[in-house]
Amino acid sequence: MKNSLIFVILLVISCNKKLPEISPDVITESTLHDTDDPAIWVNPKDASKSIIFGTDKNTEGAIYAFDLDGKIIQEKTIKGFKRPNNIDLEYGFKLNDSSKTDVIVFTERERQKIRLFSVPDMKPLDNGGFPVFSDATELDANLPMGVAIYKSPKDNNLYAIVGRKTGPENNYLYQYLIKSDSLGIHSKLVRKFGKFSGKKEIEAIAVDDEAGIIYYSDEMHCIRKYHAEPSDGDKEILCFGGQYFKRDIEGIAIAKYDDKSFLIVSNQQAGTFNIFNLETNTFIKELNLGTLGTDGCEVTTKALGNKYPNGLFVSMNEEKNFFFHDLAKLKLLE
């Protein structure tokens, strides 16, 4: 009996043993209110001068810009938004026949809009924002939260895939075509798709442009996988990974190398990140990066100067800041 009791105690200790913490290289300066989701802009002229954008999710919210030392870049930080939630970035959005710009798209929940700004000059391109979920009738089903950009390799069309606070069992996500013409820049609803378990909400969304695949977190249920190209259909490809999370499945980041690719997903209540093989969707490992209550995360495998020669992983921390890790610390390729 005594030996059995000792075994049970050791088993409980083993199960509760915390993973060793991988300390960040940088912890950013704090925002005013509540950090949520980051995006990484790799400066094409000098990668060491790249910018990390992060949302400050509050009714008096902002999009903060940070340098690679985690210092706030005041002249690139834009304020005056009503609860900006998630953010994504894309390169080379076509303004007209002779002009392109990099852009960020983010949700502005309390105004029921998505916003579009140029990068790095931080100019609005949306005439005050594009309304989303305007046909919703259910309470809170018109409040946008998650957003990801898909740039089609077929025709270079730019799409925003938008999630919301709540919604139906089917057609939870809306996909909008963002296009510029002689009259300006417009948003057009092109499809509704995506299953929802009804357990909590859908916020985190990520897109693999090259493969044309969308991944999104159905919190407390699974990671869902769909085609990003509207013409490829709305049938769900896979619902996977839910058993590896303590509760909420949150931020999603895609790390792509020449011969291997990975899905990095926040295991929020556990304070960890789960790593999946992008091709097989199989679980690889769990990492503790020191963050608490992580909502959003982002990654680039590109070298960002001498400071991050192996790429960068950025994750939200509930203490009003973001953590920067040199990507090599995650040991994805080992």
Side-chain angles (χ1 to χ4, degrees):
M1 181 69 179
K2 183 178 179 181
N3 289 339
S4 297
L5 181 61
I6 292 172
F7 174 78
V8 170
I9 292 171
L10 289 174
L11 182 63
V12 170
I13 292 171
S14 176
C15 290
N16 290 331
K17 186 178 180 181
K18 192 175 181 181
L19 291 167
E21 181 178 324
I22 303 171
S23 59
D25 295 88
V26 165
I27 298 176
T28 68
E29 293 181 334
S30 297
T31 67
L32 282 176
H33 305 291
D34 182 17
T35 50
D36 192 274
D37 191 44
I40 302 170
W41 178 68
V42 180
N43 189 321
K45 296 180 179 179
D46 184 349
S48 68
K49 296 181 180 177
S50 297
I51 300 173
I52 312 304
F53 296 103
T55 59
D56 188 26
K57 186 177 61 177
N58 187 271
T59 193
E60 300 298 333
I63 304 299
Y64 278 79
F66 302 92
D67 63 23
L68 295 185
D69 293 316
K71 305 298 183 184
I72 295 170
I73 309 172
Q74 296 292 349
E75 65 272 20
K76 302 294 182 185
T77 294
I78 46 178
K79 299 181 179 180
F81 302 111
K82 296 296 183 182
R83 203 170 179 85
N85 208 128
N86 280 38
I87 186 170
D88 203 6
L89 184 144
E90 188 55 83
Y91 300 88
F93 174 63
K94 188 176 179 180
L95 295 173
N96 51 54
D97 289 340
S98 60
S99 181
K100 293 181 180 181
T101 184
D102 302 337
V103 293
I104 51 170
V105 171
F106 57 93
T107 52
E108 192 174 9
R109 196 196 302 184
E110 291 181 11
R111 289 195 171 115
Q112 297 91 54
K113 293 180 177 181
I114 54 174
R115 304 302 310 271
L116 179 73
F117 277 69
S118 60
V119 175
D121 53 351
M122 313 311 296
K123 301 297 182 185
L125 302 174
D126 55 12
N127 196 29
F130 304 124
V132 291
F133 304 117
S134 56
D135 60 349
T137 56
E138 184 181 352
L139 182 65
D140 292 342
N142 64 342
L143 301 179
M145 294 180 67
V147 66
I149 304 175
Y150 168 53
K151 188 176 183 181
S152 171
K154 291 184 178 181
D155 51 22
N156 286 325
N157 277 341
L158 196 74
Y159 297 93
I161 296 97
V162 191
R164 45 184 161 168
K165 185 65 177 175
T166 191
E169 291 183 9
N170 294 290
N171 297 333
Y172 194 102
L173 301 180
Y174 282 18
Q175 184 164 346
Y176 296 87
L177 172 66
I178 310 295
K179 201 155 190 175
S180 178
D181 59 27
S182 60
L183 299 177
I185 299 174
H186 314 278
S187 169
K188 178 184 177 182
L189 178 63
V190 294
R191 71 163 172 162
K192 307 172 185 180
F193 72 100
K195 293 182 179 180
F196 172 48
S197 68
K199 294 178 180 177
K200 193 178 179 187
E201 61 198 21
I202 292 168
E203 181 178 6
I205 310 168
V207 182
D208 180 346
D209 282 357
E210 185 181 51
I213 296 293
I214 296 167
Y215 299 88
Y216 68 87
S217 296
D218 188 341
E219 296 183 25
M220 299 176 63
H221 189 68
C222 73
I223 302 163
R224 296 191 185 270
K225 181 177 179 180
Y226 283 81
H227 290 291
E229 199 69 42
S231 61
D232 287 341
D234 301 337
K235 184 178 179 180
E236 182 168 89
I237 300 170
L238 194 63
C239 175
F240 68 97
Q243 69 270 32
Y244 297 103
F245 293 84
K246 185 174 182 179
R247 200 187 80 171
D248 291 357
I249 307 167
E250 285 284 355
I252 301 178
I254 296 172
K256 300 201 77 172
Y257 295 93
D258 290 337
D259 55 349
K260 292 183 180 180
S261 298
F262 304 91
L263 203 65
I264 307 170
V265 188
S266 169
N267 187 3
Q268 190 176 57
Q269 282 72 31
T272 60
F273 293 87
N274 287 331
I275 315 297
F276 296 84
N277 181 297
L278 196 68
E279 283 73 33
T280 64
N281 307 122
T282 53
F283 175 79
I284 298 174
K285 62 182 177 180
E286 183 180 11
L287 296 175
N288 173 15
L289 302 183
T291 56
L292 300 172
T294 297
D295 277 312
C297 56
E298 189 55 282
V299 66
T300 180
T301 57
K302 295 180 179 178
L304 303 184
N306 294 327
K307 193 166 187 64
Y308 299 102
N310 307 291
L312 173 67
F313 182 72
V314 180
S315 50
M316 166 264 179
N317 180 50
E318 68 177 14
E319 297 175 332
K320 303 180 183 180
N321 52 31
F322 295 92
F323 282 17
F324 296 177
H325 284 82
D326 184 290
L327 191 54
K329 286 189 171 184
L330 277 62
K331 298 182 180 179
L332 297 178
L333 299 175
E334 294 185 6

